[in-house]
Coordinates of all heavy atoms in Angstrom, one line a residue:
Chain A
S100 N 13.8 -58.0 -4.8 CA 14.5 -59.3 -4.6 C 13.6 -60.4 -5.0 O 14.1 -61.6 -5.1 CB 14.9 -59.4 -3.1 OG 13.8 -59.2 -2.3
H101 N 12.3 -60.2 -5.2 CA 11.5 -61.3 -5.6 C 11.0 -61.1 -7.1 O 9.9 -61.7 -7.4 CB 10.3 -61.5 -4.7 CG 9.6 -60.2 -4.5 ND1 9.9 -59.3 -3.5 CD2 8.5 -59.6 -5.2 CE1 9.1 -58.2 -3.6 NE2 8.2 -58.4 -4.6
W104 N 11.6 -65.1 -12.1 CA 10.7 -66.2 -12.1 C 11.0 -67.2 -11.0 O 10.1 -67.9 -10.6 CB 10.8 -67.0 -13.4 CG 10.2 -66.2 -14.6 CD1 9.9 -64.8 -14.6 CD2 9.7 -66.7 -15.8 NE1 9.3 -64.5 -15.8 CE2 9.2 -65.6 -16.6 CE3 9.7 -68.0 -16.4 CZ2 8.7 -65.8 -17.8 CZ3 9.1 -68.2 -17.6 CH2 8.6 -67.1 -18.4
L105 N 12.2 -67.3 -10.6 CA 12.6 -68.3 -9.6 C 12.9 -67.7 -8.2 O 13.3 -68.3 -7.3 CB 13.9 -69.0 -10.0 CG 13.8 -69.9 -11.3 CD1 15.1 -70.5 -11.6 CD2 12.8 -71.1 -11.0
D106 N 12.6 -66.4 -8.1 CA 13.0 -65.7 -6.8 C 11.9 -65.7 -5.8 O 10.8 -65.3 -6.1 CB 13.4 -64.2 -7.2 CG 14.7 -64.1 -7.9 OD1 15.5 -65.0 -7.7 OD2 14.9 -63.2 -8.6
S107 N 12.3 -66.1 -4.6 CA 11.3 -66.1 -3.5 C 11.5 -64.7 -2.8 O 12.3 -63.9 -3.2 CB 11.7 -67.2 -2.5 OG 12.8 -66.8 -1.7
Y108 N 10.5 -64.5 -1.9 CA 10.7 -63.2 -1.1 C 12.0 -63.3 -0.2 O 12.4 -64.4 0.1 CB 9.5 -63.1 -0.1 CG 8.2 -62.6 -0.7 CD1 7.0 -63.3 -0.4 CD2 8.2 -61.5 -1.5 CE1 5.8 -62.9 -0.9 CE2 7.0 -61.1 -2.0 CZ 5.8 -61.7 -1.7 OH 4.6 -61.3 -2.2
D109 N 12.5 -62.1 0.0 CA 13.6 -62.0 1.0 C 12.9 -61.9 2.4 O 12.4 -60.8 2.8 CB 14.4 -60.8 0.7 CG 15.6 -60.7 1.6 OD1 15.7 -61.5 2.5 OD2 16.5 -59.8 1.4
H110 N 12.9 -63.0 3.1 CA 12.1 -63.0 4.4 C 12.8 -62.1 5.5 O 12.0 -61.7 6.3 CB 11.9 -64.4 4.9 CG 10.9 -65.2 4.0 ND1 9.7 -65.6 4.5 CD2 10.9 -65.5 2.7 CE1 9.0 -66.2 3.5 NE2 9.7 -66.1 2.4
A111 N 14.1 -62.0 5.4 CA 14.7 -61.0 6.4 C 14.1 -59.6 6.1 O 13.9 -58.8 7.1 CB 16.2 -61.0 6.2
R114 N 10.6 -59.3 7.5 CA 10.7 -59.1 9.0 C 11.0 -57.7 9.3 O 10.3 -57.1 10.2 CB 11.7 -60.1 9.6 CG 11.7 -60.1 11.1 CD 12.8 -60.9 11.7 NE 13.0 -60.7 13.1 CZ 12.4 -61.6 14.0 NH1 11.7 -62.6 13.6 NH2 12.5 -61.4 15.3
V139 N 3.7 -66.4 11.4 CA 4.5 -67.5 11.9 C 5.1 -68.3 10.7 O 4.3 -68.6 9.8 CB 3.6 -68.4 12.8 CG1 4.4 -69.7 13.2 CG2 3.1 -67.7 14.0
G140 N 6.4 -68.5 10.7 CA 7.0 -69.3 9.6 C 7.3 -68.4 8.4 O 7.7 -68.9 7.4
V141 N 7.0 -67.1 8.5 CA 7.3 -66.2 7.4 C 8.3 -65.2 7.8 O 9.3 -65.0 7.2 CB 6.0 -65.5 6.9 CG1 6.3 -64.5 5.9 CG2 5.0 -66.5 6.3
S142 N 8.0 -64.6 8.9 CA 8.9 -63.5 9.4 C 9.2 -63.7 10.9 O 10.2 -63.1 11.4 CB 8.4 -62.1 9.2 OG 7.1 -62.0 9.8
H143 N 8.4 -64.4 11.6 CA 8.6 -64.6 13.1 C 8.4 -66.0 13.5 O 7.7 -66.8 12.8 CB 7.6 -63.7 13.8 CG 7.8 -62.2 13.6 ND1 7.5 -61.6 12.5 CD2 8.4 -61.3 14.4 CE1 7.8 -60.3 12.6 NE2 8.4 -60.1 13.7
T144 N 9.0 -66.4 14.6 CA 8.7 -67.7 15.2 C 7.3 -67.7 15.9 O 6.8 -66.6 16.1 CB 9.8 -68.1 16.2 OG1 9.7 -67.2 17.3 CG2 11.1 -68.1 15.6
D146 N 6.6 -68.3 18.9 CA 6.7 -67.7 20.2 C 6.7 -66.2 20.1 O 6.1 -65.5 20.9 CB 8.0 -68.2 20.9 CG 8.0 -69.6 21.3 OD1 6.8 -70.1 21.4 OD2 9.0 -70.3 21.5
E147 N 7.5 -65.7 19.2 CA 7.5 -64.2 19.0 C 6.1 -63.7 18.6 O 5.7 -62.7 19.1 CB 8.5 -63.9 17.8 CG 9.9 -64.0 18.2 CD 10.9 -63.8 17.1 OE1 10.5 -64.3 15.9 OE2 12.0 -63.3 17.3
E259 N 16.8 -54.7 14.3 CA 17.5 -55.6 15.2 C 18.6 -56.3 14.6 O 19.5 -56.8 15.2 CB 16.4 -56.6 15.8 CG 15.7 -57.3 14.6 CD 14.6 -58.2 15.2 OE1 14.5 -58.3 16.4 OE2 13.9 -58.8 14.3
D260 N 18.6 -56.4 13.2 CA 19.7 -57.1 12.6 C 20.8 -56.2 12.1 O 21.7 -56.6 11.4 CB 19.2 -58.0 11.4 CG 18.5 -57.1 10.3 OD1 18.4 -55.9 10.5 OD2 18.0 -57.7 9.3
H285 N 2.9 -66.2 -2.8 CA 3.8 -65.9 -3.8 C 4.9 -67.0 -4.0 O 5.1 -67.6 -5.1 CB 4.5 -64.6 -3.5 CG 5.7 -64.2 -4.3 ND1 6.9 -64.7 -4.1 CD2 5.8 -63.5 -5.4 CE1 7.8 -64.3 -5.0 NE2 7.1 -63.5 -5.8
D286 N 5.5 -67.4 -2.9 CA 6.6 -68.4 -3.0 C 6.1 -69.8 -3.5 O 6.7 -70.4 -4.4 CB 7.3 -68.6 -1.6 CG 8.1 -67.4 -1.2 OD1 8.1 -66.4 -2.0 OD2 8.7 -67.4 -0.1
E287 N 5.0 -70.2 -2.9 CA 4.5 -71.5 -3.2 C 4.0 -71.5 -4.7 O 4.1 -72.4 -5.4 CB 3.3 -71.9 -2.3 CG 3.8 -72.4 -1.0 CD 4.8 -73.6 -1.1 OE1 4.5 -74.6 -1.9 OE2 5.9 -73.5 -0.5
K289 N 5.2 -69.7 -7.2 CA 6.3 -69.7 -8.1 C 6.8 -71.2 -8.2 O 7.2 -71.6 -9.3 CB 7.4 -68.8 -7.7 CG 7.1 -67.4 -8.2 CD 8.2 -66.4 -8.0 CE 7.9 -65.1 -8.6 NZ 8.9 -64.0 -8.2
K290 N 6.9 -71.8 -7.1 CA 7.4 -73.2 -7.1 C 6.5 -74.1 -7.8 O 6.9 -74.9 -8.7 CB 7.5 -73.7 -5.6 CG 8.8 -74.4 -5.3 CD 9.0 -74.4 -3.8 CE 9.1 -75.8 -3.3 NZ 9.3 -75.8 -1.9
I293 N 7.0 -73.5 -11.6 CA 8.1 -74.2 -12.2 C 7.8 -75.6 -12.5 O 8.1 -76.1 -13.6 CB 9.3 -74.1 -11.2 CG1 9.8 -72.7 -10.9 CG2 10.5 -74.9 -11.7 CD1 10.6 -72.6 -9.7
K294 N 7.2 -76.3 -11.5 CA 6.8 -77.7 -11.7 C 5.9 -77.8 -12.9 O 6.0 -78.7 -13.7 CB 6.1 -78.2 -10.4 CG 7.0 -78.5 -9.3 CD 6.2 -79.2 -8.2 CE 6.9 -79.0 -6.9 NZ 6.0 -79.4 -5.8
I297 N 7.7 -77.4 -16.2 CA 8.5 -78.5 -16.6 C 7.6 -79.7 -17.0 O 7.8 -80.3 -18.1 CB 9.4 -79.0 -15.4 CG1 10.4 -77.9 -15.1 CG2 10.1 -80.3 -15.7 CD1 11.2 -78.2 -13.8
L298 N 6.6 -80.0 -16.2 CA 5.7 -81.2 -16.5 C 5.0 -81.0 -17.9 O 5.0 -81.8 -18.7 CB 4.7 -81.4 -15.4 CG 5.3 -82.1 -14.2 CD1 4.2 -82.3 -13.1 CD2 5.9 -83.4 -14.6
Chain B
F30 N 7.7 -90.9 -8.6 CA 8.1 -89.8 -9.4 C 7.6 -88.4 -8.8 O 8.4 -87.5 -8.8 CB 7.4 -89.9 -10.8 CG 7.6 -88.7 -11.7 CD1 8.8 -88.5 -12.3 CD2 6.6 -87.7 -11.8 CE1 9.0 -87.3 -13.1 CE2 6.8 -86.6 -12.6 CZ 8.0 -86.4 -13.2
G31 N 6.4 -88.5 -8.2 CA 5.9 -87.2 -7.5 C 6.9 -86.8 -6.4 O 7.3 -85.6 -6.4
F34 N 10.4 -85.8 -8.0 CA 10.3 -84.5 -8.8 C 10.2 -83.3 -7.8 O 10.8 -82.3 -8.0 CB 9.1 -84.6 -9.7 CG 8.9 -83.4 -10.6 CD1 9.9 -83.1 -11.6 CD2 7.8 -82.6 -10.5 CE1 9.8 -82.1 -12.4 CE2 7.7 -81.5 -11.4 CZ 8.7 -81.2 -12.3
D35 N 9.4 -83.5 -6.8 CA 9.2 -82.4 -5.8 C 10.5 -82.2 -5.1 O 10.9 -81.0 -4.9 CB 8.1 -82.9 -4.8 CG 7.8 -81.7 -3.8 OD1 7.4 -80.7 -4.3 OD2 8.0 -81.9 -2.6
T36 N 11.2 -83.2 -4.7 CA 12.5 -83.1 -4.1 C 13.5 -82.3 -4.9 O 14.2 -81.4 -4.5 CB 13.1 -84.4 -3.7 OG1 12.1 -85.2 -3.0 CG2 14.2 -84.3 -2.7
A37 N 13.5 -82.7 -6.2 CA 14.5 -82.1 -7.1 C 14.2 -80.6 -7.3 O 15.1 -79.7 -7.2 CB 14.4 -82.8 -8.5
V38 N 12.9 -80.3 -7.5 CA 12.5 -78.9 -7.7 C 12.8 -78.1 -6.5 O 13.3 -76.9 -6.5 CB 11.0 -78.8 -8.1 CG1 10.6 -77.3 -8.1 CG2 10.8 -79.3 -9.5
T39 N 12.5 -78.7 -5.3 CA 12.7 -77.9 -4.1 C 14.2 -77.7 -3.8 O 14.6 -76.6 -3.4 CB 12.1 -78.8 -2.9 OG1 10.8 -79.0 -3.2 CG2 12.2 -78.0 -1.6
S40 N 15.1 -78.7 -4.2 CA 16.5 -78.4 -4.0 C 17.0 -77.3 -4.9 O 17.8 -76.5 -4.5 CB 17.3 -79.7 -4.1 OG 17.3 -80.1 -5.5
V41 N 16.5 -77.3 -6.1 CA 16.9 -76.2 -7.0 C 16.4 -74.9 -6.5 O 17.2 -73.9 -6.5 CB 16.4 -76.5 -8.5 CG1 16.6 -75.3 -9.4 CG2 17.0 -77.7 -9.1
W42 N 15.2 -74.8 -6.1 CA 14.6 -73.6 -5.5 C 15.4 -73.1 -4.3 O 15.7 -71.9 -4.2 CB 13.1 -73.9 -5.1 CG 12.4 -72.9 -4.4 CD1 12.3 -72.8 -3.0 CD2 11.7 -71.7 -4.9 NE1 11.6 -71.7 -2.7 CE2 11.2 -71.0 -3.8 CE3 11.5 -71.3 -6.2 CZ2 10.4 -69.9 -4.0 CZ3 10.7 -70.2 -6.4 CH2 10.2 -69.4 -5.3
D43 N 15.7 -74.1 -3.4 CA 16.5 -73.6 -2.2 C 17.9 -73.1 -2.6 O 18.4 -72.2 -1.9 CB 16.6 -74.8 -1.3 CG 15.2 -75.1 -0.6 OD1 14.3 -74.3 -0.7 OD2 15.1 -76.2 0.0
W45 N 18.8 -71.7 -5.4 CA 18.6 -70.4 -6.1 C 18.3 -69.3 -5.0 O 18.8 -68.2 -5.1 CB 17.5 -70.5 -7.1 CG 17.3 -69.3 -7.9 CD1 16.5 -68.2 -7.6 CD2 17.8 -69.1 -9.2 NE1 16.6 -67.3 -8.6 CE2 17.4 -67.8 -9.6 CE3 18.7 -69.8 -10.1 CZ2 17.8 -67.2 -10.8 CZ3 19.0 -69.2 -11.2 CH2 18.6 -67.9 -11.6
N46 N 17.5 -69.6 -4.0 CA 17.1 -68.6 -3.1 C 17.8 -68.7 -1.7 O 17.2 -68.5 -0.7 CB 15.6 -68.7 -2.8 CG 14.8 -68.4 -4.1 OD1 15.0 -67.3 -4.6 ND2 13.9 -69.2 -4.5
Q47 N 19.1 -69.2 -1.8 CA 19.8 -69.4 -0.6 C 19.9 -68.1 0.3 O 20.2 -67.0 -0.3 CB 21.2 -69.8 -0.9 CG 21.8 -70.8 0.1 CD 23.0 -71.5 -0.6 OE1 23.6 -71.1 -1.5 NE2 23.2 -72.7 0.0
G48 N 19.6 -68.2 1.5 CA 19.7 -67.1 2.4 C 18.5 -66.1 2.5 O 18.5 -65.2 3.2
K49 N 17.5 -66.4 1.6 CA 16.4 -65.5 1.5 C 15.2 -66.0 2.2 O 14.3 -65.3 2.7 CB 16.0 -65.2 0.1 CG 16.9 -64.3 -0.7 CD 16.7 -64.3 -2.1 CE 15.4 -63.5 -2.5 NZ 15.2 -63.6 -3.9
Q50 N 15.1 -67.4 2.3 CA 13.8 -68.0 2.9 C 13.9 -68.0 4.4 O 14.9 -67.8 5.0 CB 13.7 -69.4 2.3 CG 13.6 -69.4 0.8 CD 13.2 -70.8 0.3 OE1 12.0 -71.2 0.3 NE2 14.2 -71.6 -0.1
W51 N 12.7 -68.2 5.0 CA 12.5 -68.2 6.4 C 13.4 -69.3 7.0 O 14.0 -69.0 8.1 CB 11.1 -68.4 6.8 CG 10.9 -68.6 8.2 CD1 10.4 -69.7 8.9 CD2 11.1 -67.6 9.3 NE1 10.4 -69.5 10.2 CE2 10.8 -68.3 10.5 CE3 11.6 -66.4 9.4 CZ2 10.9 -67.7 11.8 CZ3 11.7 -65.7 10.6 CH2 11.4 -66.4 11.8
K52 N 13.4 -70.4 6.4 CA 14.2 -71.5 7.0 C 15.7 -71.2 7.1 O 16.4 -71.8 7.9 CB 13.9 -72.8 6.3 CG 14.3 -72.9 4.9 CD 13.9 -74.2 4.3 CE 13.9 -74.2 2.8 NZ 13.1 -75.3 2.2
D53 N 16.1 -70.3 6.2 CA 17.6 -69.9 6.3 C 17.9 -68.9 7.4 O 19.0 -68.9 7.8 CB 18.0 -69.3 4.9 CG 17.7 -70.2 3.8 OD1 17.9 -71.4 4.0 OD2 17.4 -69.7 2.7
I54 N 16.9 -68.1 7.8 CA 17.2 -67.1 8.8 C 16.5 -67.4 10.2 O 16.7 -66.7 11.1 CB 16.7 -65.7 8.4 CG1 15.2 -65.7 8.1 CG2 17.4 -65.3 7.1 CD1 14.6 -64.3 7.9
R55 N 15.7 -68.5 10.3 CA 15.0 -68.7 11.5 C 16.0 -69.1 12.7 O 15.6 -68.8 13.8 CB 13.9 -69.8 11.3 CG 14.4 -71.2 11.4 CD 13.3 -72.2 11.0 NE 12.5 -72.5 12.2 CZ 12.7 -73.5 13.1 NH1 13.8 -74.2 12.9 NH2 11.9 -73.7 14.0
D56 N 17.1 -69.6 12.4 CA 18.1 -69.9 13.4 C 18.4 -68.7 14.3 O 18.7 -68.8 15.5 CB 19.4 -70.5 12.9 CG 19.2 -71.7 12.0 OD1 18.1 -72.3 12.2 OD2 20.0 -72.1 11.2
K57 N 18.4 -67.5 13.7 CA 18.7 -66.3 14.4 C 17.7 -65.9 15.4 O 18.0 -65.2 16.4 CB 18.9 -65.1 13.4 CG 20.2 -65.2 12.5 CD 20.3 -63.9 11.7 CE 19.9 -64.1 10.3 NZ 20.0 -62.9 9.5
Y58 N 16.5 -66.4 15.2 CA 15.4 -65.9 16.1 C 14.8 -67.0 17.0 O 14.1 -66.7 17.9 CB 14.3 -65.4 15.2 CG 14.8 -64.3 14.3 CD1 14.8 -64.5 12.9 CD2 15.2 -63.1 14.8 CE1 15.3 -63.6 12.0 CE2 15.7 -62.1 13.9 CZ 15.7 -62.4 12.5 OH 16.2 -61.4 11.7
I59 N 15.2 -68.3 16.7 CA 14.6 -69.3 17.5 C 15.3 -69.3 18.9 O 16.5 -69.2 19.1 CB 14.8 -70.7 16.8 CG1 13.7 -71.7 17.3 CG2 16.1 -71.2 17.0 CD1 12.5 -71.7 16.5
Q60 N 14.4 -69.4 20.0 CA 15.0 -69.5 21.3 C 14.9 -71.0 21.7 O 13.9 -71.7 21.5 CB 14.2 -68.7 22.3 CG 14.5 -67.2 22.3 CD 13.4 -66.3 21.8 OE1 12.3 -66.7 21.9 NE2 13.7 -65.2 21.1
D61 N 16.0 -71.4 22.4 CA 16.0 -72.8 22.9 C 15.0 -73.1 23.9 O 14.9 -72.3 24.9 CB 17.4 -73.2 23.4 CG 18.3 -73.5 22.2 OD1 17.8 -73.9 21.2 OD2 19.5 -73.2 22.3
E62 N 14.2 -74.1 23.8 CA 13.3 -74.5 24.9 C 14.1 -75.3 25.9 O 14.4 -76.4 25.7 CB 12.1 -75.4 24.3 CG 11.4 -74.8 23.2 CD 10.5 -73.6 23.6 OE1 9.9 -73.7 24.7 OE2 10.4 -72.6 22.8

Side-chain angles (χ1 to χ4, degrees):
Chain A
S100 52
H101 52 269
W104 287 22
L105 292 177
D106 287 332
S107 76
Y108 282 131
D109 184 355
H110 285 247
R114 188 184 170 96
V139 176
V141 173
S142 59
H143 293 78
T144 64
D146 292 338
E147 286 172 325
E259 57 187 353
D260 59 1
H285 170 280
D286 289 1
E287 284 305 310
K289 277 188 177 169
K290 223 160 122 182
I293 298 164
K294 285 185 201 167
I297 294 172
L298 282 181
Chain B
F30 174 77
F34 186 63
D35 187 60
T36 312
V38 169
T39 306
S40 73
V41 172
W42 171 266
D43 288 347
W45 185 274
N46 293 305
Q47 213 160 26
K49 284 168 76 182
Q50 300 188 82
W51 171 246
K52 60 183 161 197
D53 302 327
I54 60 168
R55 80 187 275 275
D56 302 341
K57 286 190 257 177
Y58 306 109
I59 204 91
Q60 279 114 29
D61 281 330
E62 305 288 324

